[in-house]
Amino acid sequence: MSPSPNYEFQEWWNKQRTDNEQSDHHLLQKSAFLTVDIQSPTSAAAKDRSRSARQLSWIYLLKFHQITHTVAFLTNGFISIICTANRRITTASAVPRFESRFYKIIKFFLFISVCLLIFELVAYFKGWHFSPPTLESEVEDLLEYVYAKWLVTRANYLAPPLQSLVNVCIVLFLAQSVDRLVLVLGCFYIKLRGLKPVAEMDNEQDDETGGGNVDNFPMVLLQIPICNEREVYQQSIAAVCIQDWPKEKMLVQILDDSDDTDVQSLIKAEVQKWQQRGVHIIYRHRLIRTGYKAGNLKSAMNCDYVKEYEFVAIFDADFQPAPDFLKRTIPYFKGKDNLALVQARWAFVNKDENLLTRLQNINLAFHFEVEQQVNGWFINFFGFNGTAGVWRIKALDDCGGWLERTTVEDMDVAVRAHLCGWKFVYLNDVKCLCELPESYEAYIKQQHRWHSGPMQLFRLCFVDILRSKVSFVKKANLIFLFFLLRKLILPFYSFTLFCIILPLTMFLPEAQLPFWVVCYVPGLVSILNILPSPRSFPFIVPYLLFENTMSVTKFNAMISGLFQLGSSYEWIVTKKLGRSSEADLVAIVENESTPMVESGIPRSSSESGLPELNRLEMTNKSLKRRRNRLYKKELALSFILLTASVRSLLSAQGIHFYFLLFQGITFLIVGLDLIGEQVS
């Protein structure tokens, strides 16, 4: 049965046609009137033009003056920009061979992307995107034949292997996402059940009584490894020396590896100041500085007097433990002879300093709140963070002590202790103040060491893991979760999927990357990562984009560590600025005042910790100068992603276009060093 005619629509259509015809008629009348008016010049108009000749000459002179002024202004501005860029932009003088090779590969992909984009733009404007030419039909010119041949080649030979790689990366991505989800669920379980480690304490060692019997306190060695860290040595030494622990039961070792004689003199003076206050503190400086931090700690542990001590607490030069740090960590060792390590959580004094520190805080909050806590509670193993931890010296000796074979000596000794059967405890409620790197240059150097070192260690200890006497579950956790999934697969798929495969799928549309892989799953993973720091939720989009940007550094470090390429064994001390919160400085000053009064030593104004640290902070601020470095790999990748975004715009792929556009802009911002604090 045919549908009944729609008379209302017919009436509306007729009315629209009538209105359009009337509007067209009025337009024709207006154009005719204008034509007549223009084509009939009058003598009065010519008279006016003859009268305004002198006025026109002045107008031309004024315009010429404006043009010359504009050219001069633009020239001065251009010269000023060049001078500023020359003053602020620096490039690395020596680039490792592997990094230069890696950069050449990225440049090759950029060249291919630009060529393909130009080719696709020509095809788009010729209409071949809407009616693709084929080899069977007649082609008009050589370019059309080449494009038809390209379509067949990419569909039959290039897209299938790329699609296979896409599928592999999607599987790895989903596996890593499931791992994150399981960790978050485990953290929720710990929070809901109120689970936390329990310490056995004597009444004499309770915080309220203060430990009436000194003999009940074990001997503790406190170590501070330092290397040319002028900005932070003072506050770290002060925080360690005011520990609420019997002075005769603790010894502070200042392990100075500085090659700057001025820094050595400053640290020696600081040590002498605390020695005068009755603190057992010694200064050590190695003549042969091999093995970086591991060699420094190994040399200190070889001293004869170390045998008298039962525990050793390690703090990096920028860490400031609270006065009750030892009283809140040492009691967990009592009654647990198989406990090797008590690890405290890091807290950051400058987490809100700039966007870079905020994004770092998200990652490290998830690491400590979720990863360390879940692994510590369920399997009694996690990677030692290298600082803010207390080791049983017997456990260190049992697993071979500090080794210099990798740049992650902390993870190395933790894995070996775990294979020897020792257990670890993580304390999420015991926090130790420290600093985050505020410049991108310092941050990528730190991340390079953190991601190349685990691959060095995995290559060296893989056989030891298989031969160890631990259970099969612990071996599988070490190999598949601790090393492969979280240290190798994560940087591999993050860089390959979002920086290489996604742009290639824009030029090879026969290989499809589902939109949920680009949008939904990364968004869900970012939400999981940001849960431990809920105040950072407004930064979830910058966090997602920045993590993908950092994947190039992490992937480069992972490959160099796995295959011993480039600068995998390079150790560069992370640049810190010596920031401290005002409350911490006041607490140090208040604690410093007590022993000075008791010992009767006169206290000069220059010995106050607060004026010294404030003066040091002002000196740092006055010496700061903004400088930018150009990061070539990030810049090249930004151009790859931006060219791919233009190609996706031709195909009307909305989600892919926006992701590529914003990711390319993020790479560009990072490549120009416009994130974080630039410090000379």
Side-chain angles (χ1 to χ4, degrees), residues 2 12 20 25 33 71 129 172 191 201 218 235 279 308 336 339 377 386 397 487 496 530 579 586 592 604 614 616 630:
S2 62
W12 175 83
N20 291 336
H25 180 68
F33 172 76
V71 171
H129 277 204
L172 298 178
K191 295 293 184 183
M201 297 181 60
Q235 61 199 37
V279 177
E308 302 174 5
K336 302 174 183 176
L339 181 60
W377 179 260
D397 295 336
K487 302 296 189 297
T496 307
I530 215 168
R579 299 186 184 274
V586 173
E592 285 182 12
S604 62
N614 285 337
L616 181 63
L630 291 180

Side-chain angles (χ1 to χ4, degrees), residues 501-503 505-506 511-519 641 644-646 648-649 652-663:
I501 292 180
L502 179 58
T505 56
M506 297 299 101
Q512 295 290 329
L513 184 62
F515 67 91
W516 54 267
V517 177
V518 179
C519 180
L641 293 169
S645 68
V646 176
S648 68
L649 189 62
Q653 301 188 30
I655 294 179
H656 296 75
F657 166 73
Y658 289 115
F659 182 87
L660 289 166
L661 176 64
F662 290 118
Q663 189 65 69

Side-chain angles (χ1 to χ4, degrees), residues 192-471:
L192 293 176
R193 298 293 299 271
L195 304 176
K196 60 174 58 178
V198 179
E200 298 182 13
M201 297 181 60
D202 282 343
N203 293 331
E204 294 178 342
Q205 286 183 265
D206 197 345
D207 291 335
E208 297 178 358
T209 62
N213 189 357
V214 177
D215 294 336
N216 290 331
F217 288 83
M219 300 285 286
V220 181
L221 182 68
L222 298 100
Q223 296 177 333
I224 306 179
I226 303 176
C227 184
N228 296 324
E229 293 164 281
R230 180 194 298 264
E231 298 82 3
V232 294
Y233 75 92
Q234 208 168 21
Q235 61 199 37
S236 179
I237 293 175
V240 171
C241 288
I242 63 171
Q243 284 297 303
D244 188 11
W245 200 259
K247 302 302 179 185
E248 59 271 23
K249 290 289 186 177
M250 60 178 275
L251 173 65
V252 180
Q253 281 184 322
I254 306 302
L255 312 178
D256 184 18
D257 252 8
S258 304
D259 55 6
D260 188 338
T261 55
D262 293 336
V263 176
Q264 294 178 23
S265 301
L266 291 172
I267 297 176
K268 287 179 182 178
E270 186 71 14
V271 170
Q272 291 175 359
K273 182 177 73 175
W274 286 101
Q275 286 174 343
Q276 294 175 359
R277 296 175 182 177
V279 177
H280 293 175
I281 180 172
I282 61 174
Y283 174 87
R284 282 181 53 86
H285 180 75
R286 294 191 300 161
L287 297 178
I288 303 176
R289 300 168 58 250
T290 58
Y292 301 113
K293 182 180 176 182
N296 198 2
L297 294 172
K298 181 179 180 180
S299 174
M301 294 299 294
N302 289 333
C303 297
D304 294 334
Y305 55 80
V306 173
K307 299 177 182 178
E308 302 174 5
Y309 294 85
E310 186 176 356
F311 304 104
V312 55
I314 304 171
F315 302 98
D316 282 349
D318 61 306
F319 276 71
Q320 308 157 44
D324 62 347
F325 181 86
L326 293 180
K327 281 193 171 181
R328 298 182 66 184
T329 54
I330 296 295
Y332 288 90
F333 288 98
K334 185 175 181 182
K336 302 174 183 176
D337 295 335
N338 61 346
L339 181 60
L341 168 67
V342 174
Q343 173 71 57
R345 179 174 178 169
W346 298 0
F348 309 105
V349 297
N350 61 338
K351 63 182 179 181
D352 297 325
E353 187 66 26
N354 53 43
L355 179 60
L356 179 60
T357 57
R358 291 177 183 271
L359 300 179
Q360 292 179 67
N361 180 61
I362 295 174
N363 266 339
L364 291 172
F366 182 87
H367 171 70
F368 286 104
E369 184 80 22
V370 180
E371 289 183 339
Q372 298 291 76
Q373 187 170 207
V374 170
N375 291 328
W377 179 260
F378 288 104
I379 60 178
N380 297 119
F381 168 73
F382 48 83
F384 175 44
N385 294 116
T387 178
V390 182
W391 276 91
R392 189 189 297 271
I393 296 180
K394 181 182 177 181
L396 285 176
D397 295 336
D398 183 45
C399 66
W402 300 104
L403 298 182
E404 308 167 10
R405 57 182 183 173
T406 69
T407 57
V408 283
E409 72 293 328
D410 44 9
M411 185 182 295
D412 187 2
V413 72
V415 170
R416 286 185 283 112
H418 180 59
L419 296 179
C420 291
W422 292 93
K423 294 185 177 181
F424 303 164
V425 165
Y426 172 73
L427 304 179
N428 192 55
D429 55 347
V430 179
K431 299 180 180 180
C432 188
L433 290 176
C434 63
E435 285 189 40
L436 292 165
E438 297 181 12
S439 67
Y440 183 69
E441 178 185 4
Y443 180 59
I444 61 173
K445 290 177 180 177
Q446 180 195 69
Q447 293 298 306
H448 188 278
R449 187 176 76 248
W450 286 5
H451 286 81
S452 65
M455 291 297 97
Q456 302 169 17
L457 180 60
F458 178 64
R459 182 174 44 81
L460 293 172
C461 70
F462 178 72
V463 177
D464 295 334
I465 295 175
L466 296 178
R467 293 177 179 176
S468 64
K469 298 180 180 180
V470 298
S471 64

